[in-house]
Each structure stands twice: as structure tokens, then as C-alpha cells.
Amino acid sequence: MATDEITGDALTDKLRTLSMGHTTPTDLHTQPTVNTPQKDTSQLQVASAPSTVLASQKVLSQRSPGSSRSKRVVSTPPSKDKRTASAALGVAVPTSPGNPSRRSSSNIVPSPSSAILQKPETATNKPDESSPTAATVACAHFRRELRQHDESEGVKNLKTVVIVHDSCYGHRYSRPRTTKANLSTIVERPERIQASLLGVAAAYVRLGRKYSKALRSSNLEPDSGLPTGLPFRIQKTTRSVDLTSPVVTNTHGTKWMEELKVMCDLAESKLALGGKELVRPDGENASSASNDPEGKPKLHEGDLYLCSESLDALQGAIGGVCDGVDAVFSGQGKGIGARRSFVCIRPPGHHCSSSYPSGFCWLNNVHVGISYASMMHGLTHAAIIDFDLHHGDGSQAITWDHNAKVARLPKNAANSKKTAIGYFSLHDINSYPCEMGDEEKIRNAS
């Protein structure tokens, strides 16, 4: 017998020293004979279990060829020393990737199943960190585009500007002990800004038409012979407009804006104590149907929330709107500069009336922007084209109220106070705020 082979007696001795020291050979049961086709047993094949599973191993032992003794099955309990147990059984345990142990028998062939289960840590299986992915390629290109954007001298003369404000991320739902069912109804979240900016990034690259050939080849460099001009300007602003400034109070009134600031300042402490951040400062929330002229309608907790950073988000959103207005009006007299502004901000505003927030909207950003344009740039006419799924009941209510006031002004009133506003909406009348069948809301949305 070759020196690499293990005889049945030697194998029994090995097993006895490992876990069956007090068991005699008579304790070992003989495997019952089964009428199955005989296979060639000239070589012994042992399927090694995965390195993480050595709970129970079965070893087939046999004598030298020609022996009449039947096969025996020896079962051993788990061994604490996996390497020692495997070596005693003649199972190869790799000491290094691709290098089997010297003690392994030459007639042992690993089974295909064990090769699939085992995951040797070889250099070939490790992902190549230098390999480009769709995300890394896109980030690299957009980063290069932004660098070119910032260094370009003609960026201020582009016809479209996109305004972004980092403070708008801060406004978020922060009530403790909220169920998953309630969280699923909070559809207005900071992620909306991220989704919008992904669309802005895609539009920037697509409108630039610099990488159209890369869709049909492996070339990831800018196409030659195509326009190299920038499609639009991206402007990050840090401007903040106080809620009590005339720009805001012309639309929402001084008293309500002062109250909103107090609510924002107290939101964090109320939430920390398990209270409700939407309780109005006087502590007396009247019913929305109250006939008391001094009664304050209760704010709806299902689609309104405040946190410690809400004030910065609200004032930053107004600052972004004012920057967008300035960008359009600053170069109009000279025929240069932006003609369109896309202000990527939140919270939204078209459900908010002059004195009552609703539908995740605390300030009517569009009407505040019109007020700012009238005061600072002499705007005389404005049109609101609302293409949201929902009817902008707040924007429409402010428009009607504003136009009614303008009609009563004397003819010699300043033009900035007589700005005519038109509101036009494309919406689903079966959606919010008409889905409950409120006749007045349906009539106004019709």
C-alpha cells in the first residue's frame, strides 16, 4: 500500500484518539447491505464539507483491494480543532489559497459541490476597485462638467439658471414613536430635492450633447465636433429671507409669520418632550369650523410637520426664489442673462393660503416671488401655470383675493401694488384636495 493511503485499522485508531477513546471496535455498526450496483472502489473519494460546516462527518473506510470485509461507516461528533480532525480523516484543508496540505491523500478528489460551496479568498475573486462602474463614470463626468461650468466666463450669460439651496434638506418629519404606516403617508421628504437634482444632472449632460457617441462605443471622452457650450447655469445660494420681512408679509401677513417663527423655534423642545410641535403658541386650538373670529383653526397633523431646521429651510427657500427673480430681471434691460429660472426648493407652497398652511405647504413660494418682483423690479403682470397633479387651492385663493384688492385700489396707486396675477392649473380633480367630495373645493377646482 502506498504511503499516502490510510488503512482501516490506522483510521480507527485515529478516530478513537479524537472522540471515541472508550469505544471498542464492536461498537461500530455494520452498514446494511443494499442491492445496488457495485461501483469501482479502487480509489476512495471523500467530499470535504465547507470550512464553516464540520458538525458531522462520515468517513468510508475499506481494506486493501481484494478484501472480503464490507464497508464500515464511522460517525464522529464535532471536533473543536477542525484542522486536526480533517487531517486525521485524510481531508485536505488548504493552508493557503490554491496550496493543499501535504498530509492530504493523493487519492482524494474534491467533489464539485464542495468546490461550489467553498469561497477561497483568492486575488482573482476580489473585485477590481479600479474598474469603472456606471455610477463612477457618471460622477466623474458630471464633476468635470461642474468644474468647466465654474471656470467658464460666459456662464452668467446663459438663458436658464437652476437655483439650489442646501438648507432645504433640513426640513424633515421628526416626531418620535411614529408607526411605519404613518411614515408611509409622509410623501414630502428631503429626498425629493435629491431626486430633482439627479434630473438636473441628467439634463445638464444630455442637453450639452457632448457624450452622444459614447452610447454606441467605448469612448467615454467628450465627442468632437459637437457643441461645447454649457446648457444652463447651476447656482447654489445661501441667501435667507426673514419670515417677517415685507416680501413675505405682503402675502401672508405679519401676525401669522410671527406665530410661525415661534412654532419653528419651539419645535425641537416640544418633540424632545413628546409633545406636539403644531400646537399654536397660545395653546388654544379652535376647531376649523369655529365661528369665533379670534379662534385659530387647528393645523392638520397628517400633512404638516416642523423640526429644529424648518425655519432655516423656509427662509432659505424664499431666498432661493428671490435669487431666481433677480437672475431673470437683472439682465433684461441689457438683453443678456437668464430668461428662465428653475428654483429647486422645498417645502412646496401651492396648497398654502395667505393665513393657513396645508398639504405640506407652509409658505406660498410663488406668490412671495411675485411680491418680491413687484417691489424690487416693478413687475406689473404675472401668470402662474400650475401643472401639479393636485389643484393649487392656496395659490388660487391668494390670486383671487389679491386681484379683488387691486380692483379696489385708486388709479394713482403705485404699479407695484397693482400687479395683475392670473392663475391657471392642470390637475386631477379627483385627487387632493377634492378627493373627499368637498363641494366648495370641487367648485373652485372646476
Side-chain angles (χ1 to χ4, degrees):
M1 181 179 295
T3 57
D4 288 339
E5 296 180 351
I6 299 178
T7 65
D9 294 338
L11 179 60
T12 302
D13 294 338
K14 291 288 186 179
L15 294 174
R16 183 181 295 112
T17 59
L18 285 174
S19 57
M20 303 181 67
H22 302 288
T23 304
T24 62
T26 58
D27 294 328
L28 304 177
H29 62 279
T30 303
Q31 182 178 3
T33 304
V34 182
N35 295 328
T36 57
Q38 296 295 327
K39 297 181 180 181
D40 184 12
T41 58
S42 60
Q43 286 190 343
L44 177 64
Q45 294 185 357
V46 179
S48 61
S51 59
T52 57
V53 182
L54 286 174
S56 178
Q57 294 180 340
K58 293 183 179 180
V59 182
L60 304 180
S61 62
Q62 66 176 22
R63 294 179 63 85
S64 58
S67 175
S68 62
R69 293 186 61 180
S70 61
K71 298 178 182 178
R72 295 180 181 273
V73 178
V74 181
S75 299
T76 62
S79 174
K80 295 183 179 180
D81 189 350
K82 298 177 181 179
R83 186 176 300 276
T84 303
S86 301
L89 297 175
V91 178
V93 179
T95 56
S96 62
N99 184 20
S101 171
R102 293 182 179 180
R103 300 180 64 181
S104 63
S105 177
S106 61
N107 63 348
I108 295 178
V109 181
S111 68
S113 60
S114 64
I116 295 176
L117 293 175
Q118 290 179 344
K119 297 179 180 180
E121 296 181 358
T122 59
T124 57
N125 291 339
K126 293 183 178 180
D128 187 1
E129 297 180 356
S130 62
S131 299
T133 64
T136 58
V137 171
C139 289
H141 283 312
F142 192 56
R143 193 176 295 112
R144 181 168 56 187
E145 292 291 336
L146 289 180
R147 186 163 54 249
Q148 178 188 358
H149 170 277
D150 295 337
E151 296 173 355
S152 176
E153 296 181 357
V155 68
K156 294 184 179 180
N157 295 327
L158 296 176
K159 301 302 181 182
T160 303
V161 59
V162 175
I163 308 291
V164 296
H165 202 306
D166 286 344
S167 294
C168 294
Y169 287 99
H171 178 65
R172 62 193 181 280
Y173 189 90
S174 303
R175 293 173 196 160
R177 298 182 296 278
T178 303
T179 63
K180 291 183 178 180
N182 287 340
L183 284 176
S184 65
T185 64
I186 308 300
V187 296
E188 207 294 304
R189 305 180 179 188
E191 288 80 2
R192 300 181 83 187
I193 294 290
Q194 182 181 13
S196 299
L197 292 181
L198 287 176
V200 169
Y204 191 91
V205 175
R206 293 291 298 273
L207 293 176
R209 298 178 57 208
K210 300 181 184 180
Y211 303 95
S212 60
K213 292 182 180 179
L215 300 175
R216 301 180 296 273
S217 67
S218 59
N219 179 30
L220 298 179
E221 296 301 321
D223 301 338
S224 59
L226 290 176
T228 58
L230 305 179
F232 51 81
R233 173 161 56 106
I234 302 175
Q235 176 180 327
K236 179 180 288 188
T237 180
T238 58
R239 185 174 180 178
S240 179
V241 177
D242 195 277
L243 294 186
T244 58
S245 67
V247 173
V248 184
T249 57
N250 279 351
T251 300
H252 292 290
T254 302
K255 188 174 182 179
W256 164 231
M257 288 298 96
E258 290 176 349
E259 183 179 347
L260 179 56
K261 285 191 68 173
V262 173
M263 293 174 63
C264 291
D265 292 336
L266 297 177
E268 183 176 12
S269 59
K270 287 184 177 181
L271 290 171
L273 296 175
K276 297 181 178 181
E277 82 280 14
L278 296 186
V279 175
R280 305 184 81 155
D282 60 359
E284 297 294 331
N285 282 321
S287 172
S288 58
S290 174
N291 294 324
D292 183 3
E294 297 298 325
K296 297 179 179 179
K298 183 178 180 179
L299 303 180
H300 194 267
E301 295 181 357
D303 55 18
L304 291 173
Y305 58 86
L306 292 172
C307 69
S308 59
E309 298 179 47
S310 293
L311 182 60
D312 291 337
L314 292 170
Q315 297 184 153
I318 297 300
V321 170
C322 293
D323 271 2
V325 171
D326 289 338
V328 172
F329 279 92
S330 60
Q332 289 299 305
K334 302 177 182 178
I336 60 174
R339 300 183 59 184
R340 296 170 294 270
S341 290
F342 177 80
V343 186
C344 187
I345 58 170
R346 58 178 291 273
H350 74 157
H351 291 305
C352 180
S353 64
S354 59
S355 60
Y356 188 73
S358 177
F360 302 104
C361 303
W362 286 97
L363 300 173
N364 201 295
N365 305 310
V366 172
H367 273 287
V368 173
I370 294 175
S371 174
Y372 177 78
S374 300
M375 295 175 60
M376 303 303 297
H377 302 284
L379 178 68
T380 58
H381 296 78
I384 301 174
I385 311 298
D386 191 340
F387 51 88
D388 188 78
L389 173 67
H390 304 143
H391 174 233
D393 50 338
S395 295
Q396 180 173 283
I398 295 176
T399 300
W400 288 358
D401 183 63
H402 170 82
N403 290 339
K405 291 179 180 179
V406 170
R408 296 192 296 266
L409 289 176
K411 293 183 178 180
N412 59 351
N415 290 333
S416 61
K417 296 182 179 180
K418 296 190 299 182
T419 303
I421 304 175
Y423 177 78
F424 309 92
S425 177
L426 299 173
H427 56 268
D428 178 11
I429 200 170
N430 294 317
S431 299
Y432 183 88
C434 306
E435 79 277 18
M436 301 304 294
D438 188 300
E439 291 185 3
E440 182 180 1
K441 292 184 180 296
I442 294 176
R443 187 182 305 113
N444 292 339
S446 299

